[in-house]
Amino acid sequence: MTKLESMNRDKTCQLSFAGDMVLMLVNGLIERSEVQSVEGAVEKASLNRGIWTVSTFNQSFKTTRLFMCTGSQPQSSSMHYPFNKDLTVLDLDECMLRSHLPSALPKDRKSVVAVIGNSHSGILCCKNLYESAKSKERDIKIVNFGRRPIKYAKYVDNGIIFDNTGLKGSTAEWAKEVMENDPDPEMIEQVDLSQDQDLAFREHLPRCTHIIYAIGYTRSPLPALYIDGQPAGEELTFDMHSSRFHYGDRAERVQGLYANGIAFPEEVKDPEGHVEAAVGIAKFFSFAERMKKNWLSLE
C-alpha cells in the first residue's frame, strides 16, 4: 500500500503492484474468524426458492448470493495452419512478461515471431520482443499483423477517449517512438490485414518460426448453472450496467446472481460516445463499489 500511495496517480504502473495489494486484501479476509475459505472448482450451482446450492467435487454450500468472477483466457486460433502449420504458438500471457519471454525462444538461432494483433497486448509483446533483441538476449525479427492503425488513449478535460481500447503508458510511448517512427525493417515489420488477410499470411507466415495470438480474451468456462431445476445455459444474459443476470425471453432477473472482473465487465461510453467494456483492475473495483447496493438487496 505504501508503494502504491507513493506513485504518481496520473501515470500507469506495473500490474504487479496492484496484484500485491489484492493478495494482501484476500489474505486479510481469509484470516478473519467469520470467513470460511474453501478452495476448489465449482462444478454446479443451482437456484431453488431463492437459495443457491454451490457444489464442488466433494462439498456443497448454500448461499443467498453467488458472485461469478471467473476470469478470461487468451483466445487461441489455428488460422496459421494453411500457411505454416509448423509455427510454434507462444502463450500470450507469458509473452507479456518481459522476464519470461527469452526462455520461450531458442538461443542458438534466429526467431521470426509473428504477432497477430496490435491492441495493447499485441504491442506489449512487440515491445518485449524488441527489447530482448536489442539487449542481445535473443536474435529476433518481429512481424506484427494488424487490421487497423495503432490506437492510443487520448486524455481530454472530461475524461479519456479510447480509455479501454487505446494504448497507454510506457507501451504507448514505445509504440510512438519505435513503431510509428520508421522502425528498422530488420527488427520490426508491420503488415496490414485489412485488405486481404489470406494474401498477407501467405506472403509472410512461411518465413516465421513462432506466432503470438493477441486477438482478445474469451470468458473462462462457467460451472453448470440451474434455475428451478432447469439448465440455464445460453438463457442467461449478463447486465453490464447492474452486474446482475437476466434469464429467458422475459428477461427475468436472476435472484442473488452477480458478476465482476474481466469476464463480466461494465459497459461504458467515453467522452466521444465510443462504447467499450471497462477493463482494468481499478475499473473492476470501481464497478464493484458502485454496484454493492444491488448486491445488498435481494429484491
Side-chain angles (χ1 to χ4, degrees):
M1 290 298 295
T2 303
K3 180 67 176 177
L4 282 172
E5 289 171 350
S6 69
M7 292 180 177
N8 184 337
R9 299 192 179 192
D10 293 328
K11 294 185 177 180
T12 59
C13 74
Q14 293 294 318
L15 186 60
S16 59
F17 293 116
D20 289 342
M21 178 199 69
V22 172
L23 286 175
M24 180 191 74
L25 293 172
V26 169
N27 291 332
L29 283 171
I30 290 173
E31 291 173 3
R32 296 180 67 92
S33 60
E34 66 268 35
V35 173
Q36 179 186 6
S37 173
V38 178
E39 210 172 303
V42 175
E43 297 178 343
K44 178 181 176 182
S46 303
L47 177 65
N48 187 31
R49 297 182 179 180
I51 301 295
W52 283 95
T53 301
V54 182
S55 304
T56 65
F57 74 99
N58 63 353
Q59 299 180 83
S60 65
F61 305 88
K62 293 190 182 298
T63 177
T64 55
R65 297 173 180 85
L66 176 62
F67 295 84
M68 293 199 291
C69 305
T70 51
S72 296
Q73 305 296 326
Q75 289 184 26
S76 60
S77 177
S78 57
M79 66 175 70
H80 64 278
Y81 276 26
F83 312 100
N84 186 349
K85 63 181 177 57
D86 296 322
L87 285 175
T88 299
V89 180
L90 300 178
D91 181 81
L92 174 62
D93 286 343
E94 286 293 298
C95 292
M96 288 193 290
L97 295 170
R98 173 69 177 84
S99 59
H100 290 201
L101 182 58
S103 63
L105 299 171
K107 290 182 179 180
D108 57 348
R109 61 187 184 276
K110 184 169 186 172
S111 298
V112 181
V113 184
V115 181
I116 311 298
N118 62 358
S119 61
H120 195 278
S121 57
I123 299 302
L124 178 56
C125 289
C126 291
K127 176 176 180 288
N128 289 341
L129 289 163
Y130 180 85
E131 291 175 350
S132 185
K134 276 289 190 180
S135 64
K136 307 298 183 183
E137 292 174 323
R138 295 291 188 274
D139 187 3
I140 301 170
K141 164 77 179 282
I142 306 157
V143 185
N144 180 223
F145 296 82
R147 297 187 182 283
R148 58 187 64 84
I150 297 173
K151 185 187 296 184
Y152 299 91
K154 300 177 184 178
Y155 294 81
V156 294
D157 291 340
N158 58 336
I160 304 173
I161 301 169
F162 301 129
D163 184 20
N164 298 282
T165 56
L167 269 61
K168 294 180 183 176
S170 60
T171 302
E173 293 170 4
W174 178 85
K176 290 176 181 178
E177 179 182 342
V178 176
M179 296 192 75
E180 303 277 20
N181 190 25
D182 193 22
D184 182 352
E186 294 301 313
M187 292 194 68
I188 302 181
E189 189 174 346
Q190 298 179 71
V191 179
D192 182 11
L193 293 179
S194 64
Q195 300 301 316
D196 191 328
Q197 174 178 292
D198 283 3
L199 179 62
F201 283 161
R202 189 176 300 112
E203 180 180 350
H204 297 281
L205 285 185
R207 58 191 172 91
C208 295
T209 59
H210 299 74
I211 190 167
I212 302 169
Y213 282 106
I215 55 176
Y217 282 73
T218 187
R219 183 182 296 161
S220 299
L222 302 177
L225 296 171
Y226 294 83
I227 296 175
D228 295 328
Q230 299 299 315
E234 296 181 356
E235 295 293 311
L236 275 181
T237 304
F238 178 61
D239 184 341
M240 299 177 73
H241 300 281
S242 70
S243 81
R244 292 167 165 159
F245 285 83
H246 298 282
Y247 177 66
D249 295 336
R250 294 176 298 168
E252 179 181 348
R253 185 169 64 81
V254 180
Q255 186 170 347
L257 185 63
Y258 311 94
N260 201 331
I262 191 170
F264 298 100
E266 180 183 16
E267 184 179 82
V268 295
K269 284 186 180 181
D270 73 12
E272 286 191 350
H274 304 110
V275 177
E276 301 177 331
V279 174
I281 191 165
K283 294 165 187 175
F284 304 150
F285 270 83
S286 175
F287 190 33
E289 183 70 22
R290 286 181 285 106
M291 292 301 107
K292 65 185 181 184
K293 63 181 183 298
N294 292 341
W295 302 348
L296 291 171
S297 171
L298 289 176
E299 295 179 0

